[in-house]
Amino acid sequence: MSDQLRLNKVQVQYGDVVAVQDVSLSLQTGEIGCLLGPSGCGKTSLLRAIAGFEPIAAGNITVNDTLIASEAYTMPAEHRKIGMMFQDFALFPHLTIERNIAFGLRKMTAAKQRERTREMLALVGLPDVGPRFPHEISGGQQQRIALARALAPEPQVLLLDEPFSGLDEELRTSLASEIRSLLKAQHVTALLVTHDQHEAFAMADQIALMHEGQLIQSGSGENLYQSPASPFAAGFIGEGSLITVDPAAAGAPGALNLLLTGAAGLPTSTRYQVLLRPEHLAYDRAGLPLPIVQRHYRGSHYLYELSLDDGQLLKCVAELSVELDPGTSLPVRLTQEQLIFFAGPA
């Protein structure tokens, strides 16, 4: 497979402010990527640079081996063969659904426009809504129509800017999986921007985690979850706690020492942080009792927040039959020997 989209040491700058610095990534034909990170990390600036809405200050961007941006050259957005699916759908309220989809097909004959519009409506599972207006269909249907409009001109790369942010959580998850299936069936190369890791996991083959304008780590969702390369990645991906451990400190937390006695390979003389996810702890009547700070009902289970001697908090999942109140203790044990840790001060 060839690289359909390639970014090489890209920098985006607003005056003296560097929003994106030295970012390199590539997507092969048919691959779905994701720029994931908190607000202000540079992911939207990078997406806008790919789309042609922002110039780049350094590096270069190519689509299907064609240069579309460099420090010295900026191809106009309308010539890049890049589709864009916006956060607010950006459907024209005064146009019917079929005219919305046909908006980017003006170079085609009227007959070809009608044929392509019917194909797109069938693709997204809404063959009968063409005569309606956007306000006459649901948010989830508007999302599908926005996708149909973006795909209609057959772009070489599709960009999706926080496409599910206006929808409720249940609909976001189902639509993310549905849209992934549609894109995969059409072999579309796509790049998603989101701050929601669940959307990233549901949609993307490759996730690029960004922080303060830099690419921190990239890989599959499984790779980022199981092998975070930095404390930021460990804290941002998944639901866990980065616990500071100082073996040399006088009066080091006794409960934590007891809890970690079953772990292998942890430092014994230097300060470090250890990642403890909820699944790393299990309820055990014979385990180490830790004070319960909060208990959260999660439908199929409880999520407990537990306190160590020094006030640091851990999380643990337990079955609904294990129902203990805050202020009491939950006895737990460590479920695995190999834990992820990061040397140095917190």
Side-chain angles (χ1 to χ4, degrees):
M1 284 189 179
S2 60
D3 288 338
Q4 188 76 351
L5 173 67
R6 176 178 288 275
L7 280 67
N8 179 46
K9 298 183 181 299
V10 170
Q11 180 169 311
V12 180
Q13 198 164 326
Y14 303 103
D16 294 331
V17 178
V18 177
V20 175
Q21 184 175 0
D22 199 33
V23 170
S24 297
L25 64 87
S26 62
L27 292 177
Q28 295 182 337
T29 303
E31 189 174 17
I32 301 174
C34 175
L35 300 175
L36 174 66
S39 297
C41 71
K43 57 188 186 296
T44 298
S45 293
L46 192 55
L47 196 78
R48 289 177 58 83
I50 298 168
F53 304 148
E54 301 288 348
I56 64 174
N60 59 72
I61 305 173
T62 60
V63 171
N64 197 21
D65 292 329
T66 298
L67 179 69
I68 63 169
S70 69
E71 184 178 356
Y73 171 71
T74 300
M75 179 184 287
E78 62 271 21
H79 296 158
R80 294 189 177 199
K81 297 183 180 179
I82 289 177
M84 189 84 176
M85 188 171 170
F86 295 96
Q87 183 173 349
D88 58 359
F89 311 153
L91 297 176
F92 299 111
H94 62 290
L95 298 182
T96 63
I97 297 303
E98 53 198 2
R99 288 183 66 195
N100 261 282
I101 295 175
F103 186 80
L105 305 177
R106 286 168 290 183
K107 293 182 179 179
M108 293 183 179
T109 65
K112 285 288 187 182
Q113 288 184 34
R114 288 193 295 271
E115 180 183 354
R116 184 63 176 163
T117 298
R118 284 195 297 269
E119 289 176 358
M120 291 297 97
L121 286 170
L123 175 68
V124 298
L126 297 170
D128 302 321
V129 303
R132 300 186 195 175
F133 288 87
H135 72 272
E136 296 178 316
I137 62 177
S138 70
Q141 290 173 325
Q142 289 181 37
Q143 183 69 281
R144 293 180 180 90
I145 296 305
L147 176 65
R149 185 180 64 179
L151 290 177
E154 299 183 278
Q156 294 186 349
V157 176
L158 176 65
L159 306 179
L160 304 98
D161 183 15
E162 298 272 7
F164 311 108
S165 61
L167 305 175
D168 63 70
E169 185 173 353
E170 184 176 348
L171 186 56
R172 285 205 307 266
T173 303
S174 62
L175 265 179
S177 297
E178 182 180 330
I179 288 179
R180 173 182 167 81
S181 297
L182 285 171
L183 296 177
K184 283 296 183 182
Q186 296 294 304
H187 307 289
V188 175
T189 306
L191 184 63
L192 163 77
V193 158
T194 184
H195 64 275
D196 187 323
Q197 60 181 291
H198 301 295
E199 289 177 14
F201 288 168
M203 278 281 292
D205 302 306
Q206 178 190 165
I207 298 172
L209 180 62
M210 295 190 65
H211 181 50
E212 296 182 344
Q214 296 184 317
L215 198 160
I216 300 301
Q217 184 178 357
S218 63
S220 66
E222 291 87 348
N223 174 258
L224 266 65
Y225 185 89
Q226 295 173 6
S227 303
S230 67
F232 173 78
F236 192 85
I237 299 293
E239 189 171 21
S241 304
L242 274 171
I243 301 300
T244 299
V245 185
D246 189 351
L256 182 57
N257 284 343
L258 289 171
L259 189 64
L260 296 178
T261 52
L266 295 177
T268 57
S269 59
T270 59
R271 184 182 174 94
Y272 64 95
Q273 291 176 284
V274 62
L275 176 61
L276 291 173
R277 299 198 188 276
E279 64 267 25
H280 294 161
L281 302 177
Y283 167 73
D284 186 335
R285 289 183 181 178
L288 176 68
L290 294 177
I292 299 170
V293 177
Q294 292 284 347
R295 184 188 70 212
H296 304 280
Y297 177 68
R298 293 293 175 86
S300 61
H301 61 272
Y302 286 122
L303 178 68
Y304 284 96
E305 291 186 40
L306 309 174
S307 178
L308 294 169
D309 302 353
D310 60 356
Q312 295 187 88
L313 297 179
L314 304 175
K315 295 179 180 179
C316 176
V317 171
E319 297 179 358
L320 294 179
S321 58
V322 182
E323 187 175 2
L324 298 170
D325 295 325
T328 63
S329 294
L330 181 75
V332 296
R333 61 175 171 82
L334 202 62
T335 60
Q336 63 185 68
E337 290 185 6
Q338 296 296 330
L339 294 172
I340 293 168
F341 70 92
F342 302 96

